[in-house]
Amino acid sequence: MKQYATGAPAETVAVTSSSDVVTARQMVRTLAQRSGLSLVHQTKLVTAASELGRNMLVYGGGGVVRAAPVSDEGRRGIFVEFTDEGPGIPDVELALTDGWTSGNGMGLGLSGAKRLVDEFEIESGPGGTTVRIVKWGR
Ligand SMILES: Nc1ncnc2c1ncn2[C@@H]1O[C@H](COP(=O)(O)OP(=O)(O)OP(=O)(O)O)[C@@H](O)[C@H]1O
Ligand SMILES: [Mg+2]
């Protein structure tokens, strides 16, 4: 993923409980509103962020969500990064398959999140997982 110019310093939320996922979701919603994303785009971004925040909590043992407004060639968007120091995802391609879960989930969080945003990348290893997303506005 390209390193986009940020319009403001990143905001962060440490996630160690479900209520922190809600806080992170609200932070992302507020940034998206400020950047002028349409309600539909806000909702897609917030839904993706919610799934990724929940995964970070459930499988990664918690972590940090960082978000910032970004711009590129005159368009504005929101960048969000989810970092945990959990066990990592052994097979990222498999984890992105619709319906695949290692636990009791529906296996739709990662694949759904990917479809809801414009840019999506996962870096994962035994030291943890980082997921980065960008949603461009309109
Ligand atoms: N941050 C993470 N660290 C380790 N493993 C992860 C992480 N995020 C996802 N995974 C793995 O990827 C699988 C697929 O994730 P996904 O969000 O698609 O499904 P789920 O969380 O199992 O179910 P759902 O999100 O539909 O409730 C998970 O079951 C888990 O094994
Ligand atoms: Mg999930």
Side-chain angles (χ1 to χ4, degrees):
M1 183 183 293
K2 195 172 151 185
Q3 277 270 13
Y4 295 108
T6 51
E11 294 187 25
T12 65
V13 172
V15 172
T16 60
S17 71
S18 304
S19 64
D20 298 329
V21 176
V22 175
T23 305
R25 195 161 70 191
Q26 282 163 351
M27 165 182 76
V28 170
R29 168 80 70 181
T30 301
L31 286 173
Q33 283 169 344
R34 271 191 220 141
S35 289
L37 269 68
S38 68
L39 188 56
V40 168
H41 284 217
Q42 285 174 35
T43 302
K44 287 179 177 178
L45 172 63
V46 168
T47 303
S50 197
E51 290 296 331
L52 297 171
R54 190 150 299 284
N55 281 351
M56 197 174 75
L57 180 63
V58 172
Y59 302 106
V64 176
V65 182
R66 269 179 71 228
V70 289
S71 62
D72 186 53
E73 293 171 2
R75 56 184 183 166
R76 297 207 290 172
I78 300 296
F79 166 85
V80 193
E81 181 183 76
F82 306 80
T83 305
D84 68 59
E85 295 181 349
I89 306 175
D91 186 336
V92 170
E93 208 182 319
L94 182 63
L96 277 165
T97 308
D98 272 349
W100 192 88
T101 177
S102 65
N104 303 312
M106 302 243 288
L108 295 172
L110 274 183
S111 54
K114 184 175 181 180
R115 281 192 292 266
L116 288 169
V117 298
D118 298 310
E119 299 186 36
F120 182 97
E121 78 181 13
I122 300 182
E123 264 173 41
S124 193
T129 300
T130 296
V131 182
R132 298 187 188 92
I133 60 176
V134 174
K135 183 75 182 168
W136 294 110
R138 193 182 45 86

